Amino acid sequence: MIILYGKLYSEWMIRMNTEYFQWDREHGYKTQDLEKLAKILKDGGLVAFPTETVYGLGGNGLNPQASEKIYAAKGRPSDNPLILHISKKEELSLIVKEIRPVAEELMKFFWPGPLTLIFEKSERVPYTTTGGLETVAVRMPEHEGARQLIQAAGVPIAAPSANRSGRPSPTTADHVKEDLDGKIDAVVDGGTVGIGLESTIIDLTEDIPVILRPGHITKEMVASVIGEVKMDPGLSGSDATVKPKAPGMKYRHYAPRAKMTIYDGDFKRVMEKIKEAASSFESDKVGILATEESRGMYPHGQVVSAGSRKKHTIGEGLYGALRQFDKLGVEVIFSESFSAEEKSEAIMNRLLKAAGQNIVYLDD
Ligand code: TXA
Ligand code: MG
C-alpha cells in the first residue's frame, strides 16, 4: 500500500495553478523571482528547474512532506529514492555519515557536474527521501541557475527528473509542462538543457565503487581518476534474475507508448531492415528513430531525428524524439542503433530501456 500511496494520492490531487519563471545564462533570475522560488521551496512546495542533464522536480529534501509531494506529483513509487542536490561541497557533511578519500577525489574532478555519488546517509535525511534506504544519493549540479536556486533555498533539494513516472525525462520546460502542469507550484524555464541524459551514478558504499547508471561521465573517465570501478551487473538486462541496484533502473522507463525495436549492425543493413519492417505498416502508424544524417533516406513512416552523429548530439535529442512519437500517435517504432557513438553506453542504456531491451543484431 505504501508503494501505491503516491499513485493513488496523485489521482486525487487538486489541480493547482503552476507559475512559470525565466532563467537564462546572460540575465540569470530576476531578484524577486529568485526570492519567490526560494520561499516556495522553504515552505515545502515544488519547483521544477533546469540542470545540465535534465530538468529536475525540486523540493526540500529534509522535509518528508515535500518528498511525499514529489512522489505524488510524479506518480512515482515511494520506494524509488530521490537525489539530493547541493550548491556547495560544505553542505555534504550534513547529510552523509562519512566522506572517504575516493569520494574526495571524484568530487575534485567532477563536481560541480553530472555525477551523483551514493553515501551512507546521516540522521538528518528522512527515509521518505531515500525510499527507506540507509544510503543517500547526492549531486552538485554544474548548471548555474540550479545552483543559485539551491543556495537561495538554503536546504539540500531533492530532485528526480521532472517527468511523470515512466515518461522520458524532460529536456525542455515544455516537456515539464506536458507532464506536471497543475500538479506543482512552479517551473523555471531555462531553455533546452545541454546533456539531455541523467547523471552518472556511482555507489561508494562498497569497497570497489560501482556505476549504477551510466551517463555523460563514462567509466573510463572515472577509472582515470580513481583506478578501479565496476559496472553494476544488473544493468546489462541480459539476465532477468539479476536486478539493478538503483531501484529506479528496474522500471521500464524513458519509454514512448509504442512498441519499439532497435536494429544494430552494419549501417546499410540496418537502414534496409528498417525500411522493410516499416513497409508493412500504414505510414502514419509507424515511427522511425533516425538521425540528421539519415532522416531523408526513409521514404515511408514518421521519421524523427534524435540528433546528429557527426555533431555528437544524439544524447541531447533522444528524449525529445521519444516524446515526439507519443505526439504523432504511432503504434510501432523502429530505431537505428547508436552503439558506435561517443558516450554510447549512456545512450544505449536509455534506448534499450525505452525498447524494453528489444534489440536485433543483424551482423553474424
Ligand atoms: O541527472 C540527474 O541525476 C537528474 C537531475 C534532475 O539531477 N535526476 C535524476 O533523478 O535523474 P531520478 O530520480 O530521475 O533518478 C535517480 C536514480 C533512480 O534510479 C534512483 O533509484 C537512484 O537514482 N537512486 C537514488 N538514491 C539511491 C540510493 N540511495 N541507492 C541506489 N540508487 C539510488
Ligand atoms: Mg527519472
Side-chain angles (χ1 to χ4, degrees), residues 231-245 249-250:
M231 284 311 267
D232 178 6
L235 279 180
S236 80
S238 56
D239 180 349
T241 62
V242 185
K243 296 269 177 272
K245 188 166 177 192
M249 299 300 279
K250 70 176 184 259

mmCIF file of all heavy atoms in Angstrom, residues 231-245 249-250:
data_model
loop_
_atom_site.group_PDB
_atom_site.id
_atom_site.type_symbol
_atom_site.label_atom_id
_atom_site.label_comp_id
_atom_site.label_asym_id
_atom_site.label_seq_id
_atom_site.Cartn_x
_atom_site.Cartn_y
_atom_site.Cartn_z
ATOM 1 N N MET A 231 30.960 -1.943 -13.278
ATOM 2 C CA MET A 231 29.588 -1.659 -13.717
ATOM 3 C C MET A 231 28.659 -2.558 -12.912
ATOM 4 O O MET A 231 28.977 -3.727 -12.686
ATOM 5 C CB MET A 231 29.393 -2.022 -15.188
ATOM 6 C CG MET A 231 29.967 -1.106 -16.229
ATOM 7 S SD MET A 231 29.610 0.634 -16.035
ATOM 8 C CE MET A 231 28.152 0.814 -17.016
ATOM 9 N N ASP A 232 27.503 -2.042 -12.511
ATOM 10 C CA ASP A 232 26.508 -2.865 -11.832
ATOM 11 C C ASP A 232 26.075 -3.994 -12.786
ATOM 12 O O ASP A 232 25.585 -3.715 -13.879
ATOM 13 C CB ASP A 232 25.306 -1.976 -11.473
ATOM 14 C CG ASP A 232 24.190 -2.755 -10.815
ATOM 15 O OD1 ASP A 232 24.368 -3.952 -10.534
ATOM 16 O OD2 ASP A 232 23.129 -2.142 -10.555
ATOM 17 N N PRO A 233 26.260 -5.269 -12.386
ATOM 18 C CA PRO A 233 25.900 -6.370 -13.287
ATOM 19 C C PRO A 233 24.411 -6.375 -13.657
ATOM 20 O O PRO A 233 24.037 -6.867 -14.714
ATOM 21 C CB PRO A 233 26.243 -7.632 -12.487
ATOM 22 C CG PRO A 233 26.862 -7.191 -11.212
ATOM 23 C CD PRO A 233 26.796 -5.705 -11.109
ATOM 24 N N GLY A 234 23.576 -5.751 -12.802
ATOM 25 C CA GLY A 234 22.132 -5.702 -13.090
ATOM 26 C C GLY A 234 21.780 -4.806 -14.266
ATOM 27 O O GLY A 234 20.663 -4.821 -14.756
ATOM 28 N N LEU A 235 22.748 -3.981 -14.744
ATOM 29 C CA LEU A 235 22.445 -3.010 -15.800
ATOM 30 C C LEU A 235 22.269 -3.629 -17.174
ATOM 31 O O LEU A 235 21.536 -3.102 -18.000
ATOM 32 C CB LEU A 235 23.586 -1.996 -15.912
ATOM 33 C CG LEU A 235 23.603 -0.846 -14.914
ATOM 34 C CD1 LEU A 235 24.799 0.034 -15.212
ATOM 35 C CD2 LEU A 235 22.314 -0.045 -15.015
ATOM 36 N N SER A 236 22.961 -4.743 -17.425
ATOM 37 C CA SER A 236 23.005 -5.256 -18.797
ATOM 38 C C SER A 236 21.635 -5.735 -19.262
ATOM 39 O O SER A 236 21.333 -5.714 -20.453
ATOM 40 C CB SER A 236 24.017 -6.394 -18.897
ATOM 41 O OG SER A 236 23.424 -7.578 -18.397
ATOM 42 N N GLY A 237 20.783 -6.123 -18.313
ATOM 43 C CA GLY A 237 19.439 -6.553 -18.704
ATOM 44 C C GLY A 237 19.424 -7.923 -19.357
ATOM 45 O O GLY A 237 18.379 -8.419 -19.755
ATOM 46 N N SER A 238 20.596 -8.547 -19.495
ATOM 47 C CA SER A 238 20.651 -9.828 -20.195
ATOM 48 C C SER A 238 20.152 -10.975 -19.315
ATOM 49 O O SER A 238 19.685 -11.985 -19.805
ATOM 50 C CB SER A 238 22.082 -10.113 -20.670
ATOM 51 O OG SER A 238 22.944 -10.069 -19.556
ATOM 52 N N ASP A 239 20.243 -10.805 -17.977
ATOM 53 C CA ASP A 239 19.770 -11.847 -17.072
ATOM 54 C C ASP A 239 18.691 -11.236 -16.165
ATOM 55 O O ASP A 239 18.988 -10.412 -15.301
ATOM 56 C CB ASP A 239 20.955 -12.360 -16.230
ATOM 57 C CG ASP A 239 20.532 -13.459 -15.259
ATOM 58 O OD1 ASP A 239 19.315 -13.673 -15.090
ATOM 59 O OD2 ASP A 239 21.443 -14.086 -14.675
ATOM 60 N N ALA A 240 17.444 -11.643 -16.390
ATOM 61 C CA ALA A 240 16.314 -11.020 -15.687
ATOM 62 C C ALA A 240 16.352 -11.276 -14.176
ATOM 63 O O ALA A 240 15.685 -10.573 -13.419
ATOM 64 C CB ALA A 240 15.001 -11.516 -16.267
ATOM 65 N N THR A 241 17.152 -12.265 -13.729
ATOM 66 C CA THR A 241 17.186 -12.558 -12.296
ATOM 67 C C THR A 241 18.166 -11.643 -11.548
ATOM 68 O O THR A 241 18.134 -11.558 -10.338
ATOM 69 C CB THR A 241 17.585 -14.027 -12.024
ATOM 70 O OG1 THR A 241 18.899 -14.229 -12.528
ATOM 71 C CG2 THR A 241 16.615 -15.001 -12.683
ATOM 72 N N VAL A 242 19.063 -10.962 -12.305
ATOM 73 C CA VAL A 242 19.995 -10.024 -11.657
ATOM 74 C C VAL A 242 19.414 -8.608 -11.757
ATOM 75 O O VAL A 242 19.394 -8.009 -12.829
ATOM 76 C CB VAL A 242 21.396 -10.070 -12.327
ATOM 77 C CG1 VAL A 242 22.382 -9.189 -11.564
ATOM 78 C CG2 VAL A 242 21.901 -11.496 -12.402
ATOM 79 N N LYS A 243 18.931 -8.094 -10.621
ATOM 80 C CA LYS A 243 18.255 -6.780 -10.620
ATOM 81 C C LYS A 243 19.268 -5.651 -10.473
ATOM 82 O O LYS A 243 20.250 -5.783 -9.743
ATOM 83 C CB LYS A 243 17.271 -6.710 -9.451
ATOM 84 C CG LYS A 243 16.131 -7.710 -9.554
ATOM 85 C CD LYS A 243 14.945 -7.086 -10.287
ATOM 86 C CE LYS A 243 13.792 -8.050 -10.484
ATOM 87 N NZ LYS A 243 13.885 -8.852 -11.709
ATOM 88 N N PRO A 244 19.028 -4.497 -11.131
ATOM 89 C CA PRO A 244 19.903 -3.347 -10.931
ATOM 90 C C PRO A 244 19.835 -2.866 -9.484
ATOM 91 O O PRO A 244 18.791 -2.992 -8.847
ATOM 92 C CB PRO A 244 19.310 -2.281 -11.849
ATOM 93 C CG PRO A 244 18.324 -2.946 -12.713
ATOM 94 C CD PRO A 244 17.917 -4.207 -12.051
ATOM 95 N N LYS A 245 20.949 -2.309 -8.975
ATOM 96 C CA LYS A 245 20.962 -1.870 -7.576
ATOM 97 C C LYS A 245 20.221 -0.541 -7.376
ATOM 98 O O LYS A 245 19.664 -0.298 -6.310
ATOM 99 C CB LYS A 245 22.408 -1.755 -7.083
ATOM 100 C CG LYS A 245 22.456 -1.490 -5.584
ATOM 101 C CD LYS A 245 23.821 -1.686 -4.990
ATOM 102 C CE LYS A 245 23.793 -1.324 -3.501
ATOM 103 N NZ LYS A 245 25.127 -1.218 -2.916
ATOM 104 N N MET A 249 16.283 1.940 -11.824
ATOM 105 C CA MET A 249 16.731 1.330 -13.076
ATOM 106 C C MET A 249 15.970 0.044 -13.385
ATOM 107 O O MET A 249 16.140 -0.532 -14.444
ATOM 108 C CB MET A 249 18.239 1.054 -13.042
ATOM 109 C CG MET A 249 19.109 2.285 -12.870
ATOM 110 S SD MET A 249 18.908 3.492 -14.194
ATOM 111 C CE MET A 249 19.960 2.761 -15.457
ATOM 112 N N LYS A 250 15.145 -0.419 -12.430
ATOM 113 C CA LYS A 250 14.444 -1.674 -12.705
ATOM 114 C C LYS A 250 13.105 -1.446 -13.428
ATOM 115 O O LYS A 250 12.522 -2.362 -13.969
ATOM 116 C CB LYS A 250 14.241 -2.477 -11.414
ATOM 117 C CG LYS A 250 13.246 -1.896 -10.442
ATOM 118 C CD LYS A 250 13.046 -2.839 -9.246
ATOM 119 C CE LYS A 250 11.972 -2.296 -8.323
ATOM 120 N NZ LYS A 250 12.504 -1.634 -7.134
#
